[in-house]
């Protein structure tokens, strides 16, 4: 099938091209993002392969449908950037990679927690500068800490498994309980209780209308002073301005972000020679107790390999049978 791969980075080319030896699709790689401005470039492609910050709103989907696109193959799990109802309206099917490797994001979550907890991000620079003073690097142990996990699906469960090994007390909140997490000793509680009791709060729910700015002023007010917040889900789950205020007052003690609400203006490109215009993001970078990575939770060899194979398999299934594996439909929005 002729497939336009949008937002294609060098690693997308490498992993998709290698996996494609078994599938034989006609892949065309486009570095640019899919947007209202660029949608016309993808004329004549029955399948468009998109990533997390490609725009798939009503206008883009209408343009793609008019140009003959019948399948959107997301090479990611989240689908908050897709207007699913519009896709159904224009008879475009949407498929995704629901579970390429929950361990990639779970382990990155732990990397953020451990780095912040032991100040290794600061120690790294200090030692390279010949400064071996320990002042300001005092850490705390994870053992016996209470960690609140919001969203206990595939990634939340993998995080619970790792934290169980560290001897943490686990609290959980989800709209659907996961027995595997309960078996690990996680106690499902109301959000308010999770906010009040947790030393660390880690977010693993999708971004949707119920979770947009879930972590806002009101939620932060309920949390312990000095709480650590980790977000590897989607930027919009937290109200960044509220976080900045809570960091300034010392109410939030540590913040680890792999995602950021306005990340589509920043992430996945080299802006090191540019002046970054996002003042909120720049303010976040000034805090010594904030650690930000540029949406790299998924970025492991194992995950990229899984993503490439599942994406191409999703496309082949549609091409051969008109059926969809791993389909995103409006039923998932409920
Ligand atoms: P999943 O579907 O397996 O789990 C999501 C869980 O969130 C489910 O248990 C669901 O019931 C729960 N949930 C839904 N609405 C909720 C609500 N209002 N409050 C609390 N919980 C709610 O998904 P997953 O594979 O575990 O991925 C979770 C999220 O992680 C994705 O939606 C995506 O946004 C993000 N993600 C980030 C990266 C990265 O690189 N940083 C990579 C993959 C996924």
């Amino acid at each position: 099938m002729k497939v336009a791969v949008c937002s294609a980075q060098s690693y997308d080319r490498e992993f998709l091209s290698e996996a494609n030896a078994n599938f034989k699709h006609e892949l065309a790689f486009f570095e640019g993002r899919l947007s209202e401005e660029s949608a016309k470039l993808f004329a004549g492609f029955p399948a468009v392969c998109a990533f997390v910050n490609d725009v798939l709103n009503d206008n883009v989907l209408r343009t793609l449908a008019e140009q003959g696109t019948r399948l959107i193959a997301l090479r990611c799990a989240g689908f908050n950037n897709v207007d699913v109802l519009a896709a159904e309206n224009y008879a475009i099917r949407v498929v995704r990679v629901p579970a390429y490797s929950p361990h990639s994001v779970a382990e990155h979550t732990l990397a953020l927690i451990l780095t912040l907890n032991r100040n290794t991000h600061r120690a790294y620079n200090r030692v390279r500068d010949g400064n071996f003073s320990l002042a300001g690097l005092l850490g705390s142990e994870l053992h016996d800490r209470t960690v609140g996990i919001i969203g206990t699906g595939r990634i939340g469960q993998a995080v619970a498994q790792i934290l169980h090994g560290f001897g943490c007390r686990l609290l959980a909140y989800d709209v659907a309980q996961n027995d595997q997490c309960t078996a690990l000793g996680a106690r499902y509680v109301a959000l308010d209780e999770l906010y009040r009791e947790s030393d660390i709060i880690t977010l693993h729910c999708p971004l949707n209308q119920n979770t947009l700015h879930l972590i806002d002023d009101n939620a932060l007010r309920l949390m312990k002073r000095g709480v650590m917040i980790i977000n590897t889900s989607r930027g919009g789950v937290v109200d960044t301005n509220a976080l900045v205020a809570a960091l300034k007052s010392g109410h939030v003690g540590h913040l680890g972000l792999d995602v950021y609400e306005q990340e589509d203006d920043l992430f996945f490109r080299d802006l090191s020679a540019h002046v970054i215009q996002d003042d909120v993001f720049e303010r976040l970078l000034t805090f010594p107790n904030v650690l930000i990575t540029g949406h790299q939770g998924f970025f492991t060899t194992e995950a990229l390999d899984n993503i490439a194979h599942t994406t191409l398999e999703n496309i082949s299934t549609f091409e051969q049978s008109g059926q969809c594996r791993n389909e995103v439909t409006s039923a998932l929005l409920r």
Side-chain angles (χ1 to χ4, degrees):
M1 199 167 193
K2 261 184 97 180
V3 185
V5 182
C6 319
S7 300
Q9 302 281 348
S10 55
Y11 46 84
D12 294 311
R13 284 174 191 265
E14 184 190 329
F15 281 80
L16 283 167
S17 301
E18 200 180 312
N20 196 37
N22 296 327
F23 294 95
K24 315 257 184 272
H25 292 295
E26 205 180 311
L27 304 181
F29 293 96
F30 295 81
E31 265 177 47
R33 197 166 286 176
L34 176 58
S35 64
E36 294 196 9
E37 292 73 37
S38 70
K40 288 241 180 299
L41 284 176
F42 303 101
F45 287 95
V48 170
C49 176
F51 196 49
V52 292
N53 291 322
D54 287 308
V55 177
L56 288 146
N57 63 16
D58 191 304
N59 287 339
V60 170
L61 289 163
R62 190 178 52 243
T63 305
L64 292 179
E66 284 166 2
Q67 296 175 163
T69 296
R70 290 177 290 124
L71 182 73
I72 301 293
L74 298 172
R75 51 183 194 282
C76 54
F79 52 89
N80 52 284
N81 54 331
V82 184
D83 185 335
V84 179
L85 292 173
E88 288 179 349
N89 193 24
Y90 300 124
I92 292 184
R93 310 283 288 273
V94 181
V95 290
R96 64 174 177 147
V97 187
Y100 44 86
S101 171
H103 306 293
S104 61
V105 185
E107 291 174 14
H108 191 72
T109 301
L110 259 293
L112 294 177
I113 293 176
L114 288 169
T115 304
L116 287 166
N117 225 23
R118 302 303 294 266
N119 289 303
T120 41
H121 57 309
R122 302 183 63 205
Y124 173 80
N125 288 324
R126 212 180 265 200
V127 169
R128 286 168 73 91
D129 203 29
N131 176 357
F132 304 103
S133 160
L134 295 184
L137 297 186
L138 188 64
S140 56
E141 294 169 16
L142 265 185
H143 185 78
D144 264 352
R145 305 305 293 280
T146 300
V147 184
I149 303 174
I150 299 182
T152 52
R154 297 175 190 88
I155 296 170
Q157 181 188 322
V159 168
Q161 247 150 3
I162 301 171
L163 291 172
H164 176 68
F166 272 91
C168 296
R169 273 193 290 268
L170 301 178
L171 298 180
Y173 174 80
D174 196 308
V175 290
Q177 295 200 5
N178 175 337
D179 292 343
Q180 306 286 335
C181 289
T182 314
L184 290 165
R187 190 161 62 84
Y188 280 87
V189 294
L191 264 184
D192 285 11
E193 184 176 347
L194 184 145
Y195 291 151
R196 268 196 297 270
E197 298 298 323
S198 300
D199 301 303
I200 299 170
I201 294 175
T202 183
L203 304 172
H204 303 291
C205 54
L207 174 62
N208 58 35
Q209 58 194 17
N210 299 319
T211 60
L212 178 68
H213 288 187
L214 182 72
I215 306 301
D216 61 3
D217 275 325
N218 292 331
L220 288 163
R221 220 170 286 127
L222 292 175
M223 294 178 196
K224 283 186 185 179
R225 187 169 177 81
V227 64
M228 178 190 291
I229 298 175
I230 304 290
N231 187 11
T232 61
S233 63
R234 285 290 182 266
V237 178
V238 302
D239 174 349
T240 317
N241 286 311
L243 270 181
V244 168
L247 282 160
K248 282 170 79 175
S249 72
H251 191 70
V252 168
H254 293 98
L255 174 68
L257 299 179
D258 186 48
V259 287
Y260 173 62
E261 195 167 5
Q262 314 303 337
E263 71 177 47
D264 52 342
D265 292 333
L266 300 170
F267 288 3
F268 304 117
R269 62 196 112 142
D270 180 1
L271 298 179
S272 54
H274 293 74
V275 175
I276 301 221
Q277 299 297 321
D278 184 328
D279 292 346
V280 177
F281 188 78
E282 288 299 290
R283 182 67 179 99
L284 281 175
L285 293 180
T286 66
F287 294 100
N289 49 353
V290 172
L291 178 57
I292 304 180
T293 52
H295 207 139
Q296 72 174 81
F298 73 100
F299 199 52
T300 63
T301 306
E302 294 82 354
L304 289 189
D305 201 37
N306 277 333
I307 288 171
H309 277 92
T310 307
T311 300
L312 297 174
E313 211 163 50
N314 285 344
I315 296 169
S316 290
T317 304
F318 177 75
E319 185 181 28
Q320 287 157 14
S321 66
Q323 305 294 314
C324 285
R325 294 169 72 244
N326 303 315
E327 188 165 17
V328 176
T329 65
S330 49
L332 289 181
L333 301 175
R334 282 174 227 129

